Amino acid sequence: MRRLFPSVIVLVLFLAACTESRPSGGSTPRPGTPTSTPGTTPSATPPATPSAGPEGCPNHPTPACTGVPPGTELRRLKPNYAGGTYRVTKDGTVLDGVHVSGDLLITAHDVVIKNSRIDGGVQDWYENKGYSFTITDSTVGPEKGCLTAPGIQTADFTAKRVHIRGHGDGFSVSGDNVRIEDSYVILCSNPGDHGDGIQTIGAGKGLVVHHTTFDQRYAKDVTSPIFLVDPGTVDVEVTSNLVMGGTYSMRLLHARGKQVMKDNSVVDKSWEYGPLVVDCAKVDFSGNKLVTIDDDYRITSVVSPLKCE
């Protein structure tokens, strides 16, 4: 049985929103795409580059310069809520160097999570009310297996140098003021999933996705690493990311206001149908390119500029 987060409605909306995203017809293998058994993480995780330290990743984010810093001693928090969940209820709570063995439910404002490991997901929407948090230098998701629910959701959060693993969806955004940067997302899938690296669901204003690696090559039941097609999305910036996999690797449609997609690198032939689906007339689109990479996510060549047409 699929394990649900405390706010079941978010996951239900997510699954419904993804249903129409895959083109009709059978799936064809993606050229050069590694294969894995559905429901598991990749059998061969790409090797990591040397850590870049607190200044950030040297090129594009990898497991070595995101997530819990090496040598960090973690203190295990006992679940205090239903289903093995740890719930935060006090505004301004700081979780530093903790290990949450299940989900982390945030029902307080201005919560800080850093240098921590959460084996389930992180969510700040509960009983029709949203909260706020920042998460840095932390690892989200199980070391083994695959959870269909998103790694981090829902609104009013900042994620920096976060490593998401073992989730069918990386980020799910259903509200305003979300910033994701310098992070690494390696995606998996379970049969029947429609996985995304990041997806917008419902109204949301001020989304920034910057300098983050989205790797969906190892997942089978997928939509897109970057899937931003909700008409409620207003003012979105997608810049300097490294993206690979999916049916289409990047999608930006139906948004309003400022729409920017610049300086992103899409791994050539890693997709199933094409590199992008973008409303070219409305999006400030420039500096994007098709690339090849090595096992450490370093760009080895630029194949060509990526044109929006």
Side-chain angles (χ1 to χ4, degrees):
M1 180 178 292
R2 183 174 296 162
R3 186 165 67 91
L4 298 177
F5 224 95
S7 182
V8 178
I9 188 170
V10 173
L11 181 55
V12 172
L13 287 172
F14 148 71
L15 292 172
C18 282
T19 302
E20 64 178 6
S21 61
R22 177 181 286 273
S24 60
S27 172
T28 56
R30 295 185 290 278
T33 302
T35 58
S36 62
T37 302
T40 64
T41 50
S43 58
T45 302
T49 54
S51 176
E55 293 78 16
C57 297
N59 296 298
H60 289 282
T62 74
C65 56
T66 58
V68 180
T72 302
E73 294 187 8
L74 299 178
R75 172 174 55 91
R76 184 180 289 270
L77 296 180
K78 293 183 179 180
N80 62 2
Y81 196 62
T85 296
Y86 187 85
R87 181 179 178 183
V88 177
T89 58
K90 182 179 179 180
D91 290 352
T93 295
V94 177
L95 300 179
D96 187 0
V98 303
H99 179 194
V100 177
S101 59
D103 293 322
L104 176 60
L105 175 61
I106 297 170
T107 56
H109 292 286
D110 302 320
V111 173
V112 175
I113 308 150
K114 56 184 178 180
N115 307 313
S116 295
R117 171 179 165 182
I118 297 92
D119 291 342
V122 181
Q123 177 173 305
D124 68 348
W125 178 266
Y126 184 66
E127 294 185 341
N128 296 318
K129 185 176 180 180
Y131 299 89
S132 61
F133 67 96
T134 63
I135 180 168
T136 59
D137 300 306
S138 295
T139 301
V140 176
E143 188 173 4
K144 297 180 180 179
C146 185
L147 304 175
T148 291
I152 297 178
Q153 56 183 322
T154 301
D156 204 4
F157 69 83
T158 295
K160 188 171 184 178
R161 294 188 301 276
V162 173
H163 178 177
I164 295 182
R165 65 187 184 186
H167 280 273
D169 282 274
F171 297 94
S172 181
V173 178
S174 300
D176 299 342
N177 304 320
V178 170
R179 183 177 184 90
I180 299 160
E181 61 180 306
D182 298 335
S183 294
Y184 171 83
V185 182
I186 179 78
L187 296 154
C188 58
S189 70
N190 293 303
D193 284 353
H194 299 272
D196 304 293
I198 178 171
Q199 180 185 13
T200 50
I201 305 174
K205 184 175 182 179
L207 171 63
V208 175
V209 185
H210 176 70
H211 195 240
T212 291
T213 298
F214 294 93
D215 190 346
Q216 202 172 34
R217 296 174 297 171
Y218 296 82
K220 180 180 179 181
D221 295 64
V222 301
T223 304
S224 297
I226 295 179
F227 187 58
L228 311 176
V229 301
D230 194 283
T233 302
V234 180
D235 296 341
V236 56
E237 299 180 31
V238 180
T239 56
S240 302
N241 301 288
L242 178 62
V243 186
M244 61 210 80
T247 54
Y248 293 91
S249 295
M250 298 195 300
R251 302 194 198 194
L252 178 54
L253 297 168
H254 313 308
R256 294 175 288 124
K258 180 181 179 181
Q259 302 173 54
V260 177
M261 184 170 275
K262 288 185 175 182
D263 301 324
N264 299 287
S265 298
V266 177
V267 176
D268 190 36
K269 296 183 174 63
S270 64
W271 55 79
E272 189 170 335
Y273 300 113
L276 76 160
V277 179
V278 173
D279 191 343
C280 302
K282 297 181 179 179
V283 177
D284 182 359
F285 189 96
S286 66
N288 303 290
K289 53 188 177 291
L290 297 176
V291 302
T292 60
I293 60 172
D294 64 15
D295 288 341
D296 295 325
Y297 295 97
R298 290 185 292 252
I299 292 176
T300 54
S301 69
V302 176
V303 177
S304 67
L306 182 54
K307 298 180 180 180
C308 193
E309 51 190 13

